[in-house]
Amino acid sequence: MSALIDMTQQQLEQQPEQQPARQPPHDEAAPGAPRALYQLDGASFEAGGRVLLQPLTLALHASRMIALIGHNGSGKSTLLKLLAHQQRPSRGTVQLHGTDLAAWPARDFARQVAYLPQNPPTGTGMTVRELVALGRYPWHGALGRLRAADHAKIDEALQLTDTARFETQLVDHLSGGERQRVWLAMLVAQGAACLLLDEPTSALDIAHQIDVLRLLRSLTDSHALTVVIVLHDINLATRFCDELIALHSGRLLTRGTPDDVMQSDVLESIYGIPMDIVVHPHSGSRLGVAR
């Protein structure tokens, strides 16, 4: 359990608590215009003498499901960690609601953004409800008591993710797909408007991959959440996401709707192999197939 507390505490240790509370500024965009949640301006990241992310300038808009795609080592996880404030840009800035991440009080930031790393702790010895309850950590701290509002958020998260049916079971007794839903329930209980997920389907079979992505799509639509997710399967990304951002060797290669990206030449530039486009026989969506 200490590993789980450490993970949920990590965001809260990024900034000193003495900073004053900060509320997101009013969005002055014209009615109906996309609302920028994140703004990156020349943001880059270097480690060990290597440039993992080249200077990147782009906006990410709210209430959308956005996939980060590209080959291994393209910079997807690095970009996600910058958004999650798990690492700071070597140069440039990353802003949330128009405020640099470095200026956000840590507890306020954790109430806005929930992050799930690629390999979260196992949750050994914890029940499902106990794990989901850790999502309330940014609201009451390590020693704070759960109040009625916290329990209501936990109940809602369990219901939304269809995990209430095994809330008394131990997490380590669940299947991989069930555990992933429990982790998502913890993020939902956190009450953040933005979920950042690093390859949440990588260890799942195809049925559970679709199950998890359907859940995320449903939460995006029903609760106006913003989901930024690292995915390797281009066809699943285009099926469930509103926008795809493709990276290659740490650089932004292209971004656009699924229809924009699902072009043979675009896919070849992303993955480095010839790919053809076929039409799904039932949905009519475009699929990429390696030659």
Side-chain angles (χ1 to χ4, degrees):
M1 183 168 177
S2 61
L4 291 166
I5 293 291
D6 289 344
M7 191 191 83
T8 54
Q9 190 177 17
Q10 188 172 11
Q11 286 181 319
L12 303 185
E13 293 178 340
Q14 295 287 341
Q15 299 295 328
E17 281 301 314
Q18 65 267 24
Q19 297 188 50
R22 182 186 302 273
Q23 296 297 324
H26 176 68
D27 190 344
E28 299 179 353
R35 178 166 57 91
L37 178 68
Y38 277 101
Q39 179 68 51
L40 290 83
D41 185 6
S44 65
F45 185 76
E46 302 176 14
R50 294 179 56 227
V51 178
L52 302 181
L53 189 69
Q54 301 286 344
L56 182 60
T57 298
L58 81 163
L60 301 179
H61 295 104
S63 304
R64 297 170 67 79
M65 190 165 169
I66 303 169
L68 304 181
I69 61 173
H71 60 80
N72 289 336
S74 61
K76 305 183 298 296
S77 294
T78 299
L79 173 55
L80 198 73
K81 288 177 181 178
L82 291 185
L83 299 177
H85 202 23
Q86 296 300 297
Q87 55 195 23
R88 301 186 181 189
S90 302
R91 296 180 180 80
T93 61
V94 180
Q95 295 182 339
L96 175 70
H97 292 301
T99 299
D100 195 290
L101 296 194
W104 274 86
R107 193 174 296 278
D108 289 355
F109 181 79
R111 293 173 178 178
Q112 293 286 323
V113 177
Y115 168 65
L116 186 64
Q118 189 172 349
N119 297 301
T122 59
T124 301
M126 300 185 69
T127 67
V128 167
R129 188 175 185 89
E130 287 171 340
L131 176 56
V132 175
L134 287 180
R136 302 306 297 163
Y137 185 94
W139 299 89
H140 63 78
L143 302 177
R145 298 182 61 182
L146 293 175
R147 298 182 293 271
D150 296 307
H151 287 294
K153 285 289 187 182
I154 294 166
D155 290 338
E156 180 186 28
L158 289 166
Q159 291 295 332
L160 287 171
T161 56
D162 192 28
T163 52
R165 52 198 167 97
F166 40 75
E167 64 175 309
T168 60
Q169 296 184 35
L170 292 176
V171 175
D172 43 336
H173 289 176
L174 303 178
S175 70
E178 290 169 340
R179 280 197 302 272
Q180 204 67 332
R181 291 181 79 91
V182 172
W183 279 109
L184 293 178
M186 190 194 78
L187 300 192
V188 173
Q190 189 170 328
C194 179
L195 309 184
L196 306 178
L197 310 167
D198 196 351
E199 297 188 41
T201 63
S202 61
L204 304 179
D205 59 50
I206 186 62
H208 284 105
Q209 289 180 39
I210 292 176
D211 189 40
V212 167
L213 291 171
R214 278 179 176 159
L215 171 60
L216 290 169
R217 180 73 259 175
S218 175
L219 291 172
T220 301
D221 295 336
S222 64
H223 287 64
L225 294 184
T226 304
V227 175
V228 184
I229 180 171
V230 174
L231 286 174
H232 277 295
D233 190 317
I234 182 64
N235 292 321
L236 289 179
T238 57
R239 176 174 174 179
F240 290 99
C241 296
D242 301 298
E243 182 179 6
L244 279 63
I245 296 176
L247 300 172
H248 191 288
S249 302
R251 299 179 184 275
L252 175 65
L253 186 62
T254 188
R255 68 178 299 184
T257 67
D259 284 344
D260 293 333
V261 175
M262 292 304 284
Q263 309 289 337
S264 294
D265 57 338
V266 176
L267 294 182
E268 183 171 356
S269 68
I270 296 171
Y271 295 107
I273 59 173
M275 297 187 71
D276 293 319
I277 303 297
V278 299
V279 177
H280 193 284
H282 300 295
S283 67
S285 61
R286 297 161 67 86
L287 303 174
V289 180
R291 292 179 189 170

